[in-house]
Amino acid sequence: MLALAETRFSFVGDEYIYAEISREMSVSTSFKALAVTRELHARTIPGIIDICPANASYLIRYNPDIVSPYDLLDYLKEIDLTKSRPEALNLTSRIVEIPTWYNDPTTREYARRFKDRNESPHFSDFELVMKSRGFTDEQAFINDHASTPYLLTMVGFILGTAWEFPLLLPPDGVFDIPKYKSPRTETPRQAIGMGGAFTVVYPVASSGSYQLIGITPVPVYHPEQKLAEFKDSMFLARPGDIWVHRPIGETEYYSILTQVENGIYRYRTKNFDFSPEQYAQEGKAYIDSMMKGF
Amino acid sequence: MLDVIKPGLHTTVQDLGRDGFYHLGVPPGGAADKYSFQIGNFLVGNPAHYAGLEIRMLGPTLLFTKRTLIAITGAPTPCFINDEPVPMWQCLEIKAGDVLSFRFAQQGICTYVCISGGIHSPEFLGSQSTYIVHQKPECGYKLEIGGKLMINEPLPGAFKHAGRFLPESFRPSFSKTAELHATLGLAIHRISDEGVRVFLDSEWIVSTESDRIAYRLSGGPISFEHTVQTTETDDYSANVVDLPYPVGVITVPNPKELIILVSDATAGGGFVTIGAVISSDLDTLNQCRPQTTVHFSAVTMEQALRLRAEKKQRLASAAEYLTT
């Protein structure tokens, strides 16, 4: 059931207010973060600079020369309360397909190069994730990962990196994949990583601490804005999107890469009004109806 | 026009940064030491936000192809026009054909060159600030050998400012030790009481892996609160549910390391956080060289706002001194 505890607010430095909905990750906490921050975005509040929804929290950056931190805190608490009822959490969303080459040679090579910074130098990142998730068969793990739709609970890190949280959890609940002990200094562009319960696509070459499990030929950050999905924004991810990974092999990877380079690739998408309340009640049946025809 | 003869170690176009895109993972960016940067603009008669150059450690060699005014501020650096030493914190006249060059900074990290009228370069999401990801500018401009940079016309009347300077009393100080004020909180519940005490009592040493994204410091050890293990591989307690990282946030990836996110911050992650350096101390942090000894002291919101007001007043007094 949807049940939310009281949000804990705290001042962070002199320009940020951090609202912690929960210390544990769950889908309902991120629906609440999405609902509150969408409401804040819709109002144009003087003095507010950034509104960042996150997995189990949200962060507000403000200018204390314009708005008193204490008054803003009271204001935020008021809005937070209005989004505590399940029916206030409904969300216009869209499903987006991310073609994924699992356990590809590029990310395997990066995992090998940075193994000394990882939990165990004896396993590849992919093996470590499989083991942590209780799989021994590569194909079984891939099937499991690709048959799960993921909710984008947070966008950030760098240039449109989206945190994908599984909408269908295994019977034993939220899993927790360990991250690198010290971050990699390099990650290839469009590599796919897992950490905690999350999957991410790295938008550009960057540092990173998630375990690398594959790579996608499609951009999630596209400053040239040549592809149709990027007409209005350089970033594919919108908090509240639902992303699905479709397994592909080497041939299709390079074929899609060419389509992307020629500016003709079209993402498979579908718009959907998501009801967190119905999802909480019906679970897999609701997700199945959502995925029908996709 | 500016012709880049030598680019220096890491020279980028910066202004006061871009706001409002952090929720998409685009950090505020902008000059790392905003106080020195703004003084540079005031010296040449510019508004505070006009784009200038940020130099890190070793500056470029630049050929000016038109007459203008510049000011060099920030980290103390030997600087030369046509091989003649010139002073910092002063409005200098440049003639067409003059060459500006630098030697290694003696202290600090960031030196600024502000040019009357500002630099003309494309905006990305409302700012000319250069944002580098993996050594490649995603936007803005990083100086390269043979590169050319458009500069705007000097502001009308600007040449009458030539020669004006900022007295030492208004300049920031640079030292081998730094005191940083921080508010404590965020995921501090994951740090033990002893860990918080160690964080505040011990000396932290700035590491060489520090840049415009993050500062890394070593020291400690900070002990974590014991947590329930959730999987067999999770014998490590430095992880929390990923949260948005405020600029200035102090994360504790392992007991002996702190990572403080600065101008080009990665907007979120899952390391345990202990608090955040207040905004008015970020300039100081960004001028800390590797091996600088840092000490943290905890402040309340009231104290943080007072320190912020004092800093703002210092900048306003400097601006007032220069304009009267």
Side-chain angles (χ1 to χ4, degrees), chain B residues 5-60:
Chain B
I5 299 169
K6 287 183 193 166
L9 268 187
H10 187 101
T11 310
T12 55
V13 174
Q14 296 292 343
D15 56 20
L16 288 177
R18 52 182 65 83
D19 288 332
F21 298 95
Y22 207 38
H23 67 289
L24 293 170
V26 184
D33 172 359
K34 292 193 170 56
Y35 181 87
S36 299
F37 173 77
Q38 292 180 83
I39 297 279
N41 268 331
F42 295 150
L43 277 163
V44 294
N46 284 347
H49 67 277
Y50 271 27
L53 292 176
E54 179 174 288
I55 292 166
R56 295 178 81 83
M57 302 291 282
L58 177 64

Side-chain angles (χ1 to χ4, degrees), chain A residues 15-241:
Chain A
E15 293 189 350
Y16 294 89
I17 291 176
Y18 177 64
E20 184 187 68
I21 299 166
S22 165
R23 283 177 186 166
E24 301 301 324
M25 178 64 204
S26 75
V27 174
S28 49
T29 58
S30 59
F31 281 126
K32 170 144 183 189
L34 287 167
V36 175
T37 51
R38 281 192 180 188
E39 173 72 26
L40 290 172
H41 264 297
R43 305 179 183 202
T44 316
I45 304 158
I48 288 194
I49 299 169
D50 283 300
I51 302 164
C52 309
N55 303 312
S57 59
Y58 53 94
L59 181 76
I60 307 297
R61 183 180 173 209
Y62 62 96
N63 180 347
D65 303 333
I66 295 175
V67 57
S68 143
Y70 305 101
D71 292 342
L72 181 60
L73 183 62
D74 290 342
Y75 185 95
L76 292 174
K77 280 181 177 168
E78 237 170 77
I79 293 178
D80 188 272
L81 269 182
T82 67
K83 299 293 175 189
S84 295
R85 290 169 299 112
E87 63 272 25
L89 303 181
N90 284 359
L91 183 76
T92 53
S93 175
R94 86 189 156 148
I95 308 169
V96 182
E97 181 187 273
I98 306 292
T100 301
W101 184 6
Y102 288 95
N103 202 13
D104 66 295
T106 308
T107 56
R108 273 207 312 267
E109 171 58 18
Y110 274 77
R112 196 194 55 76
R113 267 177 60 199
F114 291 101
K115 64 179 166 48
D116 293 341
R117 297 180 181 230
N118 210 343
E119 283 281 320
S120 161
H122 306 299
F123 300 105
S124 74
D125 286 18
F126 190 87
E127 286 164 347
L128 210 142
V129 169
M130 276 207 333
K131 185 168 171 281
S132 159
R133 294 280 291 101
F135 286 92
T136 46
D137 178 59
E138 176 175 338
Q139 203 50 51
F141 167 75
I142 292 173
N143 289 345
D144 178 80
H145 188 268
S147 62
T148 308
Y150 297 88
L151 175 72
L152 302 202
T153 52
M154 170 173 173
V155 182
F157 184 54
I158 43 166
L159 294 166
T161 315
W163 275 256
E164 304 172 38
F165 186 74
L167 276 175
L168 292 172
L169 283 170
D172 50 346
V174 178
F175 51 88
D176 192 8
I177 293 164
K179 294 157 204 162
Y180 277 47
K181 290 198 171 185
S182 180
R184 281 183 308 276
T185 52
E186 290 173 47
T187 309
R189 185 167 83 109
Q190 287 159 215
I192 295 168
M194 288 190 83
F198 297 100
T199 297
V200 301
V201 180
Y202 286 89
V204 291
S206 69
S207 61
S209 56
Y210 277 24
Q211 310 291 342
L212 301 178
I213 60 159
I215 197 160
T216 177
V218 303
V220 294
Y221 164 66
H222 188 48
E224 303 84 11
Q225 295 181 281
K226 265 195 320 198
L227 298 173
E229 273 69 27
F230 294 89
K231 194 164 66 68
D232 301 322
S233 164
M234 295 175 217
F235 308 97
L236 181 67
R238 301 176 203 154
D241 271 357

